[in-house]
Amino acid sequence: MKLLGAALTIITTILAARGAQAAFSFTVSATHDGVAISASQVRLSPLPPGTQYGRHHRASTSLSGSRKPKTKKANKMRRANPAVQSANWCGSVAHPPSTDKIKNMHGWFQHPSCSARPGVASYPQAAAAWVGIDGDSWTSALFQSGTVCKIDNSTGVVRNEAWWQWYPSGAYTISSMPVAAGDWFEVTLNTTSATAGTVTLRNLSQGYAYSMSVGGGAALGRVDADWVVERPYYGGALAGFARFSDVWFEEAYATLVSGASLGILGANQLQIAGACSSAEFDDSEMEAWST
Ligand SMILES: *[C@@H]1O[C@H](CO)[C@@H](O)[C@H](O)[C@H]1NC(C)=O
Ligand SMILES: *[C@@H]1O[C@H](CO)[C@@H](O)[C@H](O)[C@H]1NC(C)=O
Ligand SMILES: *[C@@H]1O[C@H](CO)[C@@H](O)[C@H](O)[C@H]1NC(C)=O
Protein backbone atom coordinates (compact mmCIF):
# COMPACT_ATOMS: atom_id res chain seq x y z
CA MET A 1 0.00 0.00 0.00
CA LYS A 2 1.31 3.44 -0.90
CA LEU A 3 1.78 5.90 1.89
CA LEU A 4 2.53 8.95 -0.21
CA GLY A 5 -0.47 10.80 1.10
CA ALA A 6 -0.76 14.49 1.77
CA ALA A 7 1.57 15.24 4.59
CA LEU A 8 0.68 17.31 7.58
CA THR A 9 3.48 18.66 9.67
CA ILE A 10 3.15 19.36 13.31
CA ILE A 11 6.09 20.64 15.27
CA THR A 12 6.23 21.02 18.97
CA THR A 13 9.27 22.27 20.74
CA ILE A 14 10.81 20.57 23.69
CA LEU A 15 12.65 22.92 25.97
CA ALA A 16 15.89 21.13 26.55
CA ALA A 17 17.09 21.54 30.09
CA ARG A 18 20.52 22.44 28.81
CA GLY A 19 22.32 22.38 25.52
CA ALA A 20 20.91 21.99 22.05
CA GLN A 21 18.54 19.13 21.38
CA ALA A 22 16.57 18.32 18.24
CA ALA A 23 12.95 19.35 18.69
CA PHE A 24 10.28 16.68 18.87
CA SER A 25 8.40 16.78 15.58
CA PHE A 26 6.36 14.53 13.35
CA THR A 27 4.66 14.39 9.99
CA VAL A 28 1.49 12.44 9.25
CA SER A 29 0.44 10.79 6.01
CA ALA A 30 -2.87 9.01 5.68
CA THR A 31 -4.49 6.91 2.98
CA HIS A 32 -7.79 5.17 2.38
CA ASP A 33 -7.63 2.23 -0.02
CA GLY A 34 -4.26 3.56 -1.13
CA VAL A 35 -5.62 7.05 -1.94
CA ALA A 36 -4.24 9.99 0.02
CA ILE A 37 -6.53 11.58 2.58
CA SER A 38 -6.16 15.37 2.30
CA ALA A 39 -4.35 17.11 5.12
CA SER A 40 -7.49 19.08 6.02
CA GLN A 41 -9.26 15.81 6.84
CA VAL A 42 -6.46 14.41 8.99
CA ARG A 43 -7.08 15.26 12.62
CA LEU A 44 -4.77 14.51 15.51
CA SER A 45 -5.65 15.73 19.00
CA PRO A 46 -3.13 15.85 21.84
CA LEU A 47 -4.41 14.24 25.02
CA PRO A 48 -4.64 16.60 28.01
CA PRO A 49 -1.71 16.67 30.45
CA GLY A 50 -1.79 13.75 32.89
CA THR A 51 -3.69 11.62 30.41
CA GLN A 52 -1.36 9.16 28.76
CA TYR A 53 -0.31 5.62 28.16
CA GLY A 54 2.31 5.10 30.83
CA ARG A 55 5.48 3.08 31.08
CA HIS A 56 5.28 -0.24 32.84
CA HIS A 57 5.00 -0.39 36.62
CA ARG A 58 5.47 -3.74 38.25
CA ALA A 59 3.18 -4.62 41.13
CA SER A 60 4.63 -5.79 44.40
CA THR A 61 1.98 -8.44 45.00
CA SER A 62 3.40 -11.89 44.52
CA LEU A 63 1.96 -14.38 42.08
CA SER A 64 0.04 -17.29 43.39
CA GLY A 65 -0.90 -20.50 41.62
CA SER A 66 -0.18 -21.37 38.01
CA ARG A 67 -1.53 -19.42 35.09
CA LYS A 68 -3.98 -21.27 32.93
CA PRO A 69 -4.64 -20.00 29.44
CA LYS A 70 -8.23 -19.04 28.92
CA THR A 71 -8.40 -20.65 25.52
CA LYS A 72 -7.13 -24.07 24.54
CA LYS A 73 -6.10 -24.27 20.91
CA ALA A 74 -5.54 -27.74 19.59
CA ASN A 75 -3.07 -26.69 16.93
CA LYS A 76 -1.23 -24.15 19.07
CA MET A 77 1.66 -24.86 21.38
CA ARG A 78 1.25 -23.16 24.73
CA ARG A 79 4.57 -21.79 25.96
CA ALA A 80 5.76 -21.38 29.50
CA ASN A 81 6.80 -17.75 29.70
CA PRO A 82 7.70 -16.40 33.14
CA ALA A 83 4.76 -14.54 34.72
CA VAL A 84 5.23 -11.00 36.01
CA GLN A 85 2.73 -9.12 38.13
CA SER A 86 1.98 -5.63 36.85
CA ALA A 87 0.02 -2.56 37.94
CA ASN A 88 -0.88 -1.32 34.47
CA TRP A 89 0.26 -3.62 31.62
CA CYS A 90 -1.07 -7.03 30.60
CA GLY A 91 0.60 -9.00 27.79
CA SER A 92 4.08 -9.90 26.53
CA VAL A 93 7.38 -8.03 26.84
CA ALA A 94 10.35 -9.64 25.06
CA HIS A 95 14.00 -8.56 25.21
CA PRO A 96 16.65 -9.02 22.51
CA PRO A 97 20.09 -10.39 23.42
CA SER A 98 22.26 -7.69 25.03
CA THR A 99 24.43 -7.56 21.90
CA ASP A 100 21.49 -6.64 19.66
CA LYS A 101 18.70 -4.02 19.47
CA ILE A 102 15.12 -3.87 18.22
CA LYS A 103 14.75 -2.20 14.83
CA ASN A 104 11.16 -2.96 13.74
CA MET A 105 8.04 -4.19 15.50
CA HIS A 106 4.91 -5.82 14.21
CA GLY A 107 1.59 -7.09 15.49
CA TRP A 108 -2.13 -7.00 14.83
CA PHE A 109 -5.13 -7.32 17.06
CA GLN A 110 -8.88 -6.89 17.10
CA HIS A 111 -10.11 -3.82 18.98
CA PRO A 112 -12.18 -5.24 21.87
CA SER A 113 -15.67 -4.42 23.00
CA CYS A 114 -15.66 -2.94 26.49
CA SER A 115 -17.98 -2.71 29.45
CA ALA A 116 -17.79 -1.06 32.87
CA ARG A 117 -16.11 -3.16 35.54
CA PRO A 118 -18.58 -3.64 38.37
CA GLY A 119 -17.58 -2.20 41.71
CA VAL A 120 -14.98 0.18 40.29
CA ALA A 121 -15.64 3.74 41.33
CA SER A 122 -12.81 5.51 39.47
CA TYR A 123 -13.79 6.91 36.10
CA PRO A 124 -13.46 7.02 33.21
CA GLN A 125 -12.81 3.30 32.82
CA ALA A 126 -10.56 2.43 29.91
CA ALA A 127 -8.52 -0.33 28.26
CA ALA A 128 -5.87 0.29 25.58
CA ALA A 129 -4.43 -2.36 23.24
CA TRP A 130 -1.14 -1.47 21.57
CA VAL A 131 2.26 -2.52 20.20
CA GLY A 132 5.40 -0.64 21.22
CA ILE A 133 9.13 -0.43 21.87
CA ASP A 134 10.58 0.14 25.40
CA GLY A 135 8.89 1.49 28.54
CA ASP A 136 9.58 -1.63 30.61
CA SER A 137 13.25 -2.16 31.49
CA TRP A 138 13.96 1.04 29.50
CA THR A 139 11.99 3.55 31.54
CA SER A 140 12.75 6.91 29.90
CA ALA A 141 11.12 6.43 26.48
CA LEU A 142 8.39 4.41 24.78
CA PHE A 143 7.26 4.47 21.13
CA GLN A 144 3.80 2.92 20.70
CA SER A 145 0.47 2.92 18.90
CA GLY A 146 -2.88 1.21 19.24
CA THR A 147 -6.50 1.72 20.22
CA VAL A 148 -8.40 2.48 23.40
CA CYS A 149 -11.95 2.10 24.63
CA LYS A 150 -13.08 4.61 27.20
CA ILE A 151 -16.30 4.56 29.17
CA ASP A 152 -17.71 7.94 30.17
CA ASN A 153 -18.95 7.91 33.74
CA SER A 154 -21.88 10.24 33.33
CA THR A 155 -23.32 8.73 30.18
CA GLY A 156 -21.95 5.17 30.12
CA VAL A 157 -21.08 5.76 26.46
CA VAL A 158 -18.09 3.76 25.19
CA ARG A 159 -15.72 5.72 22.96
CA ASN A 160 -13.23 3.88 20.76
CA GLU A 161 -10.17 5.74 19.54
CA ALA A 162 -6.88 5.18 17.75
CA TRP A 163 -3.75 6.82 19.14
CA TRP A 164 0.04 6.92 19.15
CA GLN A 165 2.65 8.24 21.56
CA TRP A 166 6.39 8.74 21.92
CA TYR A 167 6.64 8.84 25.71
CA PRO A 168 7.32 11.04 27.60
CA SER A 169 5.94 13.37 24.92
CA GLY A 170 2.16 13.33 25.12
CA ALA A 171 -0.15 10.96 23.30
CA TYR A 172 -2.19 11.93 20.24
CA THR A 173 -5.64 10.64 19.44
CA ILE A 174 -6.08 10.05 15.70
CA SER A 175 -9.56 11.56 15.76
CA SER A 176 -10.12 11.13 12.03
CA MET A 177 -9.63 7.35 12.20
CA PRO A 178 -12.89 5.77 13.35
CA VAL A 179 -12.54 2.65 15.48
CA ALA A 180 -15.18 0.06 16.29
CA ALA A 181 -15.18 -3.08 18.41
CA GLY A 182 -14.09 -6.02 16.26
CA ASP A 183 -12.00 -3.94 13.82
CA TRP A 184 -8.61 -5.45 13.00
CA PHE A 185 -5.64 -3.12 13.42
CA GLU A 186 -2.09 -3.72 12.31
CA VAL A 187 0.73 -1.81 13.98
CA THR A 188 4.18 -1.47 12.43
CA LEU A 189 6.99 0.46 14.10
CA ASN A 190 10.20 1.14 12.20
CA THR A 191 13.05 2.89 13.98
CA THR A 192 15.83 4.58 12.04
CA SER A 193 17.76 5.64 15.16
CA ALA A 194 17.22 5.84 18.92
CA THR A 195 15.32 9.12 18.48
CA ALA A 196 13.54 8.72 15.12
CA GLY A 197 11.12 6.30 13.54
CA THR A 198 7.81 5.74 11.81
CA VAL A 199 4.69 4.17 13.24
CA THR A 200 1.91 2.95 10.97
CA LEU A 201 -1.55 1.98 12.16
CA ARG A 202 -3.81 0.27 9.63
CA ASN A 203 -7.43 -0.77 9.78
CA LEU A 204 -7.11 -3.99 7.83
CA SER A 205 -10.81 -4.31 7.12
CA GLN A 206 -11.33 -0.90 5.57
CA GLY A 207 -7.95 -0.02 4.15
CA TYR A 208 -7.24 3.01 6.31
CA ALA A 209 -3.58 3.66 7.12
CA TYR A 210 -2.10 6.43 9.27
CA SER A 211 1.64 6.80 9.31
CA MET A 212 3.49 9.13 11.67
CA SER A 213 7.18 9.84 11.03
CA VAL A 214 8.73 11.11 14.23
CA GLY A 215 12.04 12.82 14.97
CA GLY A 216 13.61 14.19 18.13
CA GLY A 217 11.91 11.70 20.44
CA ALA A 218 13.41 10.83 23.82
CA ALA A 219 16.19 8.28 23.20
CA LEU A 220 14.95 4.70 23.02
CA GLY A 221 17.05 1.82 24.31
CA ARG A 222 15.26 -0.50 21.83
CA VAL A 223 15.45 -3.29 24.37
CA ASP A 224 11.76 -4.01 25.15
CA ALA A 225 9.30 -5.41 22.58
CA ASP A 226 5.75 -4.92 23.93
CA TRP A 227 2.34 -6.34 22.97
CA VAL A 228 0.04 -5.02 25.66
CA VAL A 229 -3.47 -4.30 26.91
CA GLU A 230 -3.05 -1.39 29.30
CA ARG A 231 -4.83 0.38 32.09
CA PRO A 232 -4.04 4.00 31.10
CA TYR A 233 -3.74 7.19 33.12
CA TYR A 234 -6.42 9.86 33.12
CA GLY A 235 -5.87 13.13 34.95
CA GLY A 236 -2.63 11.82 36.46
CA ALA A 237 -4.18 8.72 38.05
CA LEU A 238 -4.70 5.17 36.83
CA ALA A 239 -8.10 4.90 35.18
CA GLY A 240 -10.51 2.18 36.19
CA PHE A 241 -9.63 -0.84 34.04
CA ALA A 242 -12.68 -1.51 31.84
CA ARG A 243 -13.63 -5.10 31.15
CA PHE A 244 -12.83 -6.05 27.56
CA SER A 245 -13.49 -8.93 25.19
CA ASP A 246 -10.43 -11.18 24.64
CA VAL A 247 -7.67 -9.55 22.65
CA TRP A 248 -5.54 -11.82 20.46
CA PHE A 249 -2.25 -10.42 19.22
CA GLU A 250 -1.25 -12.11 15.96
CA GLU A 251 2.03 -12.16 14.05
CA ALA A 252 3.72 -10.63 17.06
CA TYR A 253 7.40 -10.27 16.24
CA ALA A 254 10.25 -7.79 16.30
CA THR A 255 13.08 -7.57 13.81
CA LEU A 256 16.46 -6.83 15.34
CA VAL A 257 19.26 -4.63 14.00
CA SER A 258 21.25 -7.81 13.21
CA GLY A 259 18.35 -9.04 11.06
CA ALA A 260 17.35 -11.72 13.57
CA SER A 261 13.72 -12.09 14.56
CA LEU A 262 12.41 -11.84 18.14
CA GLY A 263 9.08 -13.41 19.07
CA ILE A 264 7.20 -13.80 22.31
CA LEU A 265 8.80 -17.11 23.21
CA GLY A 266 10.55 -16.51 26.54
CA ALA A 267 8.98 -13.05 26.99
CA ASN A 268 7.80 -11.85 30.37
CA GLN A 269 4.10 -12.58 30.54
CA LEU A 270 2.41 -9.70 32.36
CA GLN A 271 -0.83 -9.86 34.30
CA ILE A 272 -2.75 -7.48 36.55
CA ALA A 273 -4.13 -9.01 39.73
CA GLY A 274 -7.90 -9.17 39.71
CA ALA A 275 -8.17 -7.47 36.31
CA CYS A 276 -6.32 -9.13 33.42
CA SER A 277 -4.31 -12.19 32.53
CA SER A 278 -2.44 -13.24 29.40
CA ALA A 279 -0.97 -16.35 27.80
CA GLU A 280 1.32 -17.02 24.86
CA PHE A 281 0.95 -19.54 22.05
CA ASP A 282 3.65 -20.62 19.65
CA ASP A 283 6.14 -17.79 19.17
CA SER A 284 3.86 -15.16 17.68
CA GLU A 285 0.41 -15.30 19.24
CA MET A 286 -0.84 -14.04 22.58
CA GLU A 287 -4.20 -13.78 24.28
CA ALA A 288 -5.06 -11.17 26.91
CA TRP A 289 -8.34 -11.38 28.76
CA SER A 290 -10.27 -9.66 31.53
CA THR A 291 -10.47 -11.54 34.80
C1 LIG B 1 -17.15 11.55 36.60
O1 LIG B 1 -15.76 11.52 36.88
C2 LIG B 1 -15.22 12.76 37.23
C3 LIG B 1 -13.72 12.60 37.34
O2 LIG B 1 -13.39 11.47 38.10
C4 LIG B 1 -15.89 13.24 38.53
O3 LIG B 1 -15.38 14.51 38.84
C5 LIG B 1 -17.39 13.32 38.32
O4 LIG B 1 -18.03 13.65 39.55
C6 LIG B 1 -17.93 11.98 37.83
N1 LIG B 1 -19.34 12.10 37.54
C7 LIG B 1 -20.23 11.15 37.88
C8 LIG B 1 -21.64 11.42 37.46
O5 LIG B 1 -19.93 10.16 38.50
C1 LIG C 1 -12.33 -0.85 10.21
O1 LIG C 1 -12.91 -2.02 9.76
C2 LIG C 1 -14.21 -2.29 10.25
C3 LIG C 1 -14.65 -3.61 9.73
O2 LIG C 1 -13.93 -4.62 10.36
C4 LIG C 1 -15.16 -1.18 9.89
O3 LIG C 1 -16.44 -1.43 10.44
C5 LIG C 1 -14.62 0.13 10.42
O4 LIG C 1 -15.44 1.19 10.04
C6 LIG C 1 -13.22 0.34 9.92
N1 LIG C 1 -12.65 1.53 10.47
C7 LIG C 1 -12.20 2.46 9.69
C8 LIG C 1 -11.47 3.55 10.33
O5 LIG C 1 -12.33 2.41 8.51
C1 LIG D 1 8.99 -1.88 8.97
O1 LIG D 1 8.73 -2.97 9.81
C2 LIG D 1 7.95 -3.99 9.19
C3 LIG D 1 7.59 -5.01 10.25
O2 LIG D 1 8.71 -5.58 10.84
C4 LIG D 1 8.68 -4.56 8.01
O3 LIG D 1 7.89 -5.54 7.37
C5 LIG D 1 9.01 -3.45 7.03
O4 LIG D 1 9.81 -3.93 5.99
C6 LIG D 1 9.75 -2.32 7.74
N1 LIG D 1 9.91 -1.20 6.82
C7 LIG D 1 11.07 -0.60 6.64
C8 LIG D 1 11.05 0.54 5.69
O5 LIG D 1 12.09 -0.95 7.21
Side-chain angles (χ1 to χ4, degrees):
M1 182 182 295
K2 277 183 299 190
L3 282 176
L4 304 173
L8 170 75
T9 307
I10 300 171
I11 310 247
T12 57
T13 306
I14 287 179
L15 296 173
R18 68 174 70 92
Q21 193 174 306
F24 178 76
S25 68
F26 62 90
T27 59
V28 185
S29 42
T31 58
H32 183 211
D33 291 338
V35 178
I37 299 172
S38 75
S40 63
Q41 290 178 304
V42 172
R43 291 192 308 281
L44 262 67
S45 330
L47 290 184
T51 297
Q52 63 175 34
Y53 306 96
R55 66 177 180 84
H56 183 217
H57 294 280
R58 289 196 178 206
S60 51
T61 33
S62 60
L63 294 163
S64 59
S66 64
R67 285 177 315 126
K68 293 212 169 58
K70 181 174 180 198
T71 306
K72 282 208 173 76
K73 285 195 152 187
N75 55 344
K76 301 289 176 192
M77 181 77 89
R78 168 85 203 292
R79 303 294 183 172
N81 284 352
V84 170
Q85 198 79 336
S86 170
N88 59 334
W89 288 14
C90 183
S92 296
V93 177
H95 306 289
S98 58
T99 51
D100 214 339
K101 284 192 188 316
I102 297 163
K103 184 164 171 55
N104 301 323
M105 283 278 300
H106 184 265
W108 62 30
F109 60 87
Q110 221 169 352
H111 179 67
S113 57
C114 299
S115 58
R117 186 176 292 275
V120 172
S122 58
Y123 280 97
Q125 292 192 17
W130 54 269
V131 178
I133 299 173
D134 290 345
D136 177 47
S137 67
W138 189 267
T139 57
S140 54
L142 165 58
F143 187 28
Q144 53 179 167
S145 183
T147 63
V148 64
C149 60
K150 190 165 69 177
I151 306 174
D152 187 275
N153 59 335
S154 53
T155 60
V157 169
V158 180
R159 287 179 56 190
N160 301 294
E161 295 171 342
W163 58 273
W164 70 278
Q165 174 175 268
W166 191 308
Y167 176 94
S169 293
Y172 289 84
T173 297
I174 309 173
S175 322
S176 49
M177 187 175 201
V179 177
D183 291 1
W184 280 97
F185 286 88
E186 179 184 40
V187 180
T188 306
L189 295 126
N190 300 98
T191 62
T192 49
S193 73
T195 58
T198 299
V199 58
T200 303
L201 186 65
R202 290 190 177 88
N203 179 321
L204 293 174
S205 316
Q206 293 279 324
Y208 277 88
Y210 276 76
S211 200
M212 276 63 62
S213 291
V214 190
L220 298 167
R222 295 188 283 173
V223 290
D224 310 320
D226 323 316
W227 298 271
V228 166
V229 177
E230 171 173 358
R231 179 183 178 187
Y233 289 83
Y234 284 98
L238 276 175
F241 201 14
R243 290 187 58 83
F244 54 92
S245 57
D246 299 0
V247 178
W248 281 90
F249 288 84
E250 309 280 352
E251 290 190 26
Y253 60 85
T255 309
L256 306 182
V257 168
S258 68
S261 188
L262 176 73
I264 60 174
L265 177 58
N268 278 339
Q269 208 55 44
L270 277 41
Q271 49 190 305
I272 303 176
C276 178
S277 195
S278 67
E280 64 291 353
F281 294 84
D282 293 337
D283 195 21
S284 63
E285 242 186 324
M286 188 261 294
E287 179 186 27
W289 67 92
S290 271
T291 54

